[in-house]
Amino acid sequence: GQQVMQIPQYQHVQEGEDFTTYCNSSTTLSNIQWYKQRPGGHPVFLIQLVKSGEVKKQKRLTFQFGEAKKNSSLHITATQTTDVGTYFCAGPRRLANFGNEKLTFGTGTRLTIIP
Amino acid sequence: NAGVTQTPKFQVLKTGQSMTLQCAQDMNHEYMSWYRQDPGMGLRLIHYSVGAGITDQGEVPNGYNVSRSTTEDFPLRLLSAAPSQTSVYFCASSSRLAGDRDTQYFGPGTRLTVL
């Protein structure tokens, strides 16, 4: 079945350093989503990428969708303490009758910031 | 709008007990899902529903039952709790609108411990 792998599992960075997490799928994805989960909280939707090679930015966050639509990355420039949390990618698993209703989540990358 | 609500927030069960985790959403979303989150394993889909009266299994359905009698509510039942079901459970909803399809809105979670 479809798998979504995410690396690294953990990342510790000094405040102000950059951070990148990578997501790879075994199959082509129709779209990819990114979520952030603060410690003790619930996942919150960040963004969705749909087009091959698409790049989107949200302030210090840059999201990329690979040309083959099988991989994606999230890059944070100049990390801040507010960036602490776990970042998940998720790709939809197409069903025969109902379209894209099931998401497969990556295992997540837990980001900690050293002040 | 309250969004997605879950009760209880915390629960401790003894092995063999049964209970129901409640989930409700007030966004009139057609799709609702239950996930469990375990350390190092990301979010795994338990059951999902594409509308009232329609449910289907996800990746890890064993030991859980669901029903969807209304658009708003999607309870998850543990039939006979086992220590392996100790986890954080998240309910999520999403809309079938083309621009918002697949985007999951998560509830705050229920932290379940089975002794």
Side-chain angles (χ1 to χ4, degrees):
Chain A
Q2 176 183 322
Q3 293 187 1
V4 179
M5 308 301 294
Q6 200 170 343
I7 56 170
Q9 189 173 1
Y10 302 95
Q11 187 77 58
H12 311 280
V13 300
Q14 292 276 352
E15 186 175 8
E17 291 182 341
D18 292 356
F19 159 77
T20 304
T21 174
Y22 300 91
C23 183
N24 293 286
S25 170
S26 56
T27 59
T28 301
L29 301 171
S30 60
N31 69 75
I32 195 155
Q33 302 172 33
W34 285 92
Y35 293 79
K36 177 183 178 181
Q37 183 178 23
R38 294 182 184 276
H42 60 277
V44 175
F45 173 78
L46 292 177
I47 207 162
Q48 177 174 277
L49 305 172
V50 178
K51 299 177 182 178
S52 170
E54 188 170 15
V55 178
K56 288 188 176 181
K57 292 189 176 184
Q58 290 181 347
K59 297 182 180 179
R60 295 177 293 104
L61 278 63
T62 301
F63 304 84
Q64 291 188 321
F65 200 10
E67 293 290 339
K69 302 183 75 173
K70 296 177 72 172
N71 57 74
S72 182
S73 65
L74 159 59
H75 179 81
I76 303 178
T77 304
T79 55
Q80 300 175 359
T81 55
T82 54
D83 296 324
V84 165
T86 301
Y87 293 85
F88 293 97
C89 62
R93 175 182 299 170
R94 184 178 296 279
L95 300 178
N97 297 323
F98 300 116
N100 297 342
E101 287 99 13
K102 289 171 41 171
L103 281 184
T104 299
F105 280 81
T107 50
T109 297
R110 180 182 295 180
L111 173 64
T112 57
I113 306 291
I114 305 167
Chain B
N1 285 353
V4 180
T5 57
Q6 291 183 239
T7 56
K9 290 186 178 180
F10 301 94
Q11 183 70 52
V12 178
L13 292 177
K14 294 181 179 179
T15 297
Q17 288 185 314
S18 62
M19 79 159 295
T20 299
L21 307 185
Q22 301 292 344
C23 174
Q25 54 93 8
D26 61 0
M27 297 175 282
N28 202 31
H29 284 172
E30 296 83 359
Y31 305 149
M32 296 187 74
S33 302
W34 276 102
Y35 296 88
R36 60 176 289 173
Q37 184 174 35
D38 302 294
M41 303 191 73
L43 292 150
R44 292 183 293 169
L45 183 65
I46 304 171
H47 285 285
Y48 69 99
S49 169
V50 299
I54 306 171
T55 64
D56 204 350
Q57 297 181 350
E59 301 170 69
V60 288
N62 292 341
Y64 308 95
N65 273 356
V66 292
S67 60
R68 184 100 179 268
S69 56
T70 67
T71 300
E72 295 78 17
D73 300 297
F74 192 43
L76 178 72
R77 283 182 289 276
L78 279 70
L79 308 174
S80 177
S84 61
Q85 293 179 304
T86 294
S87 188
V88 180
Y89 291 85
F90 289 102
C91 179
S93 71
S94 60
S95 170
R96 64 180 297 183
L97 293 175
D100 201 29
R101 189 184 296 174
D102 298 327
T103 301
Q104 302 284 296
Y105 295 84
F106 284 87
T110 294
R111 284 151 180 78
L112 176 67
T113 301
V114 182
L115 303 175

